[in-house]
Amino acid sequence: NAGVTQTPKFQVLKTGQSMTLQCAQDMNHEYMSWYRQDPGMGLRLIHYSVGAGITDQGEVPNGYNVSRSTTEDFPLRLLSAAPSQTSVYFCASSYRRESPLHFGNGTRLTVT
Amino acid sequence: AQKVTQAQTEISVVEKEDVTLDCVYETRDTTYYLFWYKQPPSGELVFLIRRNSFDEQNEISGRYSWNFQKSTSSFNFTITASQVVDSAVYFCALSNSNYQLIWGAGTKLIIKP
């Protein structure tokens, strides 16, 4: 089992560019989520999904879009990158919403 | 409002010392879950423990132990006989009624050899 796979590991964008962070899990987990981690602030929930075709906003959804067309994949899209989106992004999945999260290795994004 | 406070930003101890990481939470929910996660210098996030609000039994796993006290809204984490490999950032988190995790800011633990 690969667990939760995130790509890319590092990315540098210019303001206004768009990109998609990929996330895939092979554990047949229904629940998937995206977090951003900023220094001194812990993790903040961006978007989450409780199953294929269902997504919802978390604490900091502005500037990000998600979709969940399959159980395995949960991509995060930045439509027009801003310097405030410079952060480390983690994708996570779990069997149920209240179950412990399995995290990907993270994507370090820098927007200049 | 729901909140998790980890007042200790950074703790530094010498190897083999015991160390306790504090976690205080706020919630109006009667049913909730509390978690601890570890983030070593390599950056990945690793699940350590989950506790539900109805289970106040303390938990021990090897050198790790957790003390859950609803009366003081605390879920503290103790490492006994610390080792250099325990150096990491430790996060406490609270699952709200929508099962969204509210995270503390983390405590950076440095174990000196």
Side-chain angles (χ1 to χ4, degrees):
Chain A
N1 282 350
V4 179
T5 303
Q6 273 184 252
T7 56
K9 290 186 178 180
F10 301 95
Q11 184 70 50
V12 178
L13 292 178
K14 293 185 177 179
T15 298
Q17 287 184 321
S18 63
M19 79 159 296
T20 299
L21 278 62
Q22 301 292 343
C23 177
Q25 54 91 10
D26 62 359
M27 296 172 283
N28 202 31
H29 285 168
E30 289 297 321
Y31 183 79
M32 296 187 74
S33 52
W34 277 101
Y35 288 88
R36 59 178 288 172
Q37 182 178 24
D38 300 295
M41 297 187 70
L43 278 73
R44 291 183 293 170
L45 181 65
I46 304 172
H47 285 284
Y48 66 96
S49 169
V50 299
I54 306 169
T55 63
D56 206 348
Q57 297 180 351
E59 180 185 358
V60 288
N62 292 340
Y64 308 96
N65 279 351
V66 292
S67 59
R68 185 93 180 272
S69 56
T70 66
T71 298
E72 293 77 21
D73 300 300
F74 191 45
L76 178 72
R77 297 183 185 86
L78 283 71
L79 299 178
S80 180
S84 60
Q85 293 178 306
T86 294
S87 187
V88 179
Y89 292 84
F90 286 97
C91 179
S93 73
S94 63
Y95 177 60
R96 293 178 179 172
R97 295 177 74 168
E98 68 270 25
S99 302
L101 293 171
H102 297 254
F103 284 89
N105 287 333
T107 296
R108 185 173 294 275
L109 174 67
T110 302
V111 182
T112 61
Chain B
Q2 291 163 320
K3 186 178 178 182
V4 175
T5 301
Q6 294 181 257
Q8 304 150 308
T9 304
E10 184 174 305
I11 300 174
S12 181
V13 301
V14 176
E15 197 172 23
K16 297 184 183 177
E17 287 185 12
D18 298 348
V19 58
T20 294
L21 309 182
D22 297 332
C23 173
V24 175
Y25 62 93
E26 297 175 24
T27 182
R28 293 184 178 179
D29 294 334
T30 54
T31 302
Y32 53 89
Y33 292 89
L34 293 162
F35 298 80
W36 276 95
Y37 286 84
K38 174 181 179 179
Q39 187 174 40
S42 51
E44 72 271 25
L45 283 150
V46 179
F47 164 74
L48 294 177
I49 190 171
R50 181 186 75 169
R51 176 66 75 225
N52 75 52
S53 54
F54 296 106
D55 183 1
E56 288 195 70
Q57 283 190 339
N58 291 333
E59 175 104 4
I60 298 175
S61 176
R63 296 183 296 104
Y64 294 174
S65 63
W66 291 268
N67 185 323
F68 176 31
Q69 292 194 336
K70 288 180 73 172
S71 61
T72 56
S73 296
S74 64
F75 187 42
N76 296 336
F77 173 30
T78 297
I79 301 175
T80 303
S82 60
Q83 299 177 2
V84 172
V85 293
D86 295 326
S87 296
V89 180
Y90 290 87
F91 291 98
C92 180
L94 166 70
S95 177
N96 68 12
S97 55
N98 289 326
Y99 300 106
Q100 295 180 17
L101 280 182
I102 311 298
W103 293 75
T107 296
K108 183 176 182 179
L109 178 62
I110 300 169
I111 310 296
K112 298 178 181 178

